[in-house]
Amino acid sequence: MSSIKKLLVIGYVWPEPNSSAAGQYMLTLLKSFLSQNYQITFACAASESVHRYPFEQLGIQKAQIKLNCPSFDDFVVDLAPDVVLFDRFMIEEQFGWRVAKHCPNAMRILDLEDLWSLRHIRMLAYKQQRPLQAQDYLQDIVLRELAAIWRCDLSLVISHYEMDLLINQFNLPPHILAYLPFVLDSAQLTQFKQQSKHFAQRANFVFIGNFKHEPNWDAVLYLKQHIWPLISKQIKDAELHIYGAYPAKKVTDLHNPKQRFLVKGWADDAHQVVGNARVCMAPLRFGAGLKGKLFEAMQLGTPSVTTNVGIEGYFESEIVNAGKPNIYWPGAIADGAEEIANKAVELYNNQVLWQAAQDKAWVLLEHFRASKFLPEFCIRVEAIQQDLVAHRAQNIIGAMLQHHTMKSTQYMAQWIAAKNA
C-alpha cells in the first residue's frame, strides 16, 4: 500500500453536488484522491448552506478559514499538505501566495471548472449585442485567470474548446494543463441505461440549473418570453417545469400555471425530475465549460434541445470544424427562438426521432468513462510530485508571476489584515 499523502482543498464554496455540476465535479475529484490513499482536508471561507455535501462521511476533514488573515499561515504550516487544490482562480489569488511561501514543496493544482473569465466576457458581449472582440481577451478578469493558471503546477480543464483556447490562443504550455471532463464509471452508465424511462412513460419539458449562474437566468427568461409561447401553441397539454437551486424572486415571479410555465425551484431529486421529462430545454445564449444540465440529461436518457453554446466543449475541434455536432448530439441544436421551438416540438412528438436521440446519449457518454481519464490524472499528479523542481523549471513565466504576485498580493493582504485588526 502506498504511503498516505495529504491533500488540502481550498473551496470557493462548500460543495453542493445536488445544486450544481461544479459540486458534482468536486466530489469526483475528492473521491479520486481518496482512492489514491490521500488524507483530505476541505477548507473554505464561505458560509455553509443546508445543501452542503456531508463529506465527513467519506473521512474528509472540514476546516473553516478566513480571508486576508494570517491564521491561515499557521493552519497550512501545521497541516503540511503534499498537494493543494484551489477551487477557482480567485481562491488561488487569495491563498496561493501563502501556500507557496509556507509550503513551497506542495504541488499546486487549480480546478478551473469552466473558464470563469470566458463566461464573463461572453456575458458582457451578449448584453452589448456584439460578438467577442480581440480586446475582450485583455480584460482584467481574463489576465487574472491566466496568471493563476501560469502560477500553478497543473490546471484542470473540463472542455475541449477551452483546452484549445488556452493552448492555441493564449499559448499556455500543455504540461501544466490536464483535460479532465465530467466522468461516469461503468457501473453508473449501466445503471442509467437500465433505469431510463421510455418515450411513453415521460411527459412535459424541463429546465434545470443553479440560479446563481447568470446564463441559467437568461435561458429561463428566453424560454418564458420567446420560446415557450411558440411551443405551447403547438402542444396544448404539455408543461414546462423550471427547477434549480437558489431561485430569486425574479425567477419565481415567472411562475404562471395558466401558461403551463411552472417554476418549481429546488429539486429534491434532480434525476427524478429530469428522468421523467420527455425533453430537456437548455437555450443557453452565453456561458463556458461543459454544461452539467446536458450531461445529466444524457445520463437519464432525456433528449435535449440546446444551442451551439450549450454543446460547446463536448466535441473535439475536428468534429466542430467539420460541422458535425448535429450528427452526434442526443437531441437538437438551434440558436434562434423559432428554430429551438420547432425542434423541441418535433422531438417531443416524434417517438422515432426521440428514441434515436436517446440512443445517441449512450454513445456520447462512452467518451466520458472515468477509466479513460481518472487513472491518467492520478499518474500525472504523482509524476509531477516526484520531479516538482524540474516541472517548475519548465515554467519560467509561472515562476516570474509567482514571485511578483507573492510580493504584491502579500502586501495587499497584510494591509487588509492590519486594517481589520
Side-chain angles (χ1 to χ4, degrees):
M1 182 180 291
S2 61
S3 61
I4 295 176
K5 291 186 177 182
K6 294 180 181 180
L7 167 69
L8 170 62
V9 181
I10 309 178
Y12 175 64
V13 294
W14 298 98
E16 297 182 14
N18 293 327
S19 299
S20 70
Q24 295 168 14
Y25 188 79
M26 176 56 73
L27 187 57
T28 296
L29 292 176
L30 293 174
K31 289 181 176 179
S32 178
F33 277 102
L34 284 173
S35 73
Q36 298 300 305
N37 207 31
Y38 275 81
Q39 186 179 85
I40 303 177
T41 299
F42 193 103
C44 188
S47 300
E48 292 190 46
S49 81
V50 294
H51 304 308
R52 176 182 77 80
Y53 183 80
F55 47 65
E56 296 91 339
Q57 296 175 3
L58 302 177
I60 296 172
Q61 300 296 312
K62 184 187 79 167
Q64 189 81 41
I65 54 177
K66 295 180 180 180
L67 300 175
N68 301 306
C69 184
S71 62
F72 178 83
D73 301 345
D74 296 330
F75 165 75
V76 78
V77 167
D78 290 341
L79 186 64
D82 299 282
V83 180
V84 177
L85 175 67
F86 303 103
D87 177 22
R88 311 298 177 90
F89 82 93
M90 301 84 73
I91 294 300
E92 189 280 337
E93 287 181 328
Q94 178 68 227
F95 295 99
W97 69 270
R98 293 184 183 274
V99 171
K101 179 178 179 179
H102 297 290
C103 300
N105 297 323
M107 180 183 175
R108 300 187 295 273
I109 301 176
L110 176 57
D111 175 19
L112 289 166
E113 296 292 348
D114 57 6
L115 281 178
W116 187 290
S117 59
L118 179 62
R119 172 156 45 94
H120 179 77
I121 63 175
R122 280 177 167 173
M123 179 180 69
L124 293 180
Y126 167 74
K127 290 184 174 181
Q128 294 169 9
Q129 298 184 317
R130 61 171 178 80
L132 276 183
Q133 300 168 350
Q135 59 264 34
D136 289 321
Y137 294 105
L138 296 176
Q139 288 190 32
D140 173 74
I141 194 169
V142 179
L143 301 180
R144 286 169 54 199
E145 189 162 29
L146 291 175
I149 296 171
W150 276 106
R151 286 191 296 265
C152 288
D153 300 308
L154 193 67
S155 291
L156 309 183
V157 185
I158 65 172
S159 158
H160 280 300
Y161 176 88
E162 289 171 13
M163 196 73 170
D164 290 342
L165 184 72
L166 290 172
I167 293 173
N168 298 320
Q169 179 158 336
F170 295 131
N171 297 313
L172 269 293
H175 81 279
I176 64 170
L177 301 174
Y179 173 61
L180 184 61
F182 302 143
V183 295
L184 286 173
D185 61 38
S186 297
Q188 288 175 308
L189 184 54
T190 299
Q191 182 181 17
F192 283 130
K193 282 184 180 180
Q194 292 174 344
Q195 296 180 351
S196 179
K197 292 186 176 182
H198 303 297
F199 178 87
Q201 297 173 299
R202 297 168 178 254
N204 301 318
F205 296 81
V206 68
F207 173 94
I208 191 165
N210 190 318
F211 286 104
K212 287 185 176 180
H213 195 58
E214 184 71 17
N216 288 332
W217 158 243
D218 176 77
V220 168
L221 201 59
Y222 191 27
L223 281 165
K224 172 71 171 181
Q225 296 177 342
H226 302 286
I227 300 170
W228 183 245
L230 298 174
I231 295 174
S232 63
K233 285 180 182 177
Q234 299 180 66
I235 307 177
K236 300 296 186 180
D237 58 346
E239 300 172 346
L240 174 56
H241 297 173
I242 307 295
Y243 286 93
Y246 306 107
K249 186 177 183 297
K250 64 182 181 181
V251 180
T252 56
D253 282 349
L254 298 179
H255 180 75
N256 191 321
K258 289 184 178 180
Q259 296 175 354
R260 291 171 278 128
F261 191 98
L262 307 179
V263 179
K264 302 277 191 171
W266 169 262
D268 291 327
D269 187 340
H271 282 188
Q272 183 181 49
V273 300
V274 177
N276 286 333
R278 188 175 291 177
V279 175
C280 174
M281 300 297 295
L284 299 162
R285 294 189 281 192
F286 56 89
L290 286 181
K291 316 310 181 288
K293 60 178 63 60
L294 295 172
F295 192 70
E296 183 174 59
M298 279 184 246
Q299 296 172 54
L300 300 167
T302 305
S304 58
V305 180
T306 189
T307 60
N308 279 290
V309 170
I311 62 108
E312 183 184 86
Y314 276 101
F315 301 103
E316 296 181 356
S317 57
E318 293 81 3
I319 291 176
V320 176
N321 294 337
K324 294 182 177 179
N326 272 300
I327 298 173
Y328 304 107
W329 187 253
I333 306 167
D335 283 316
E338 186 173 351
E339 186 182 9
I340 291 171
N342 289 339
K343 289 193 173 183
V345 169
E346 184 180 18
L347 191 58
Y348 192 89
N349 288 331
N350 188 326
Q351 184 172 353
V352 173
L353 185 66
W354 187 95
Q355 187 59 57
Q358 187 183 74
D359 292 341
K360 290 178 183 179
W362 309 132
V363 174
L364 187 54
L365 283 174
E366 289 290 338
H367 294 276
F368 296 90
R369 282 186 180 270
S371 58
K372 293 179 62 176
F373 300 101
L374 292 181
E376 181 182 347
F377 167 64
C378 293
I379 289 170
R380 282 195 70 183
V381 171
E382 180 67 23
I384 291 172
Q385 287 184 79
Q386 292 294 329
D387 207 359
L388 191 57
V389 174
H391 179 82
R392 288 175 176 171
Q394 299 177 63
N395 182 11
I396 192 65
I397 293 177
M400 178 180 65
L401 287 169
Q402 186 68 59
H403 171 77
H404 286 285
T405 300
M406 280 183 70
K407 298 304 179 185
S408 60
T409 310
Q410 175 181 349
Y411 294 143
M412 175 61 75
Q414 289 174 340
W415 178 83
I416 294 173
K419 182 173 178 289
N420 293 337

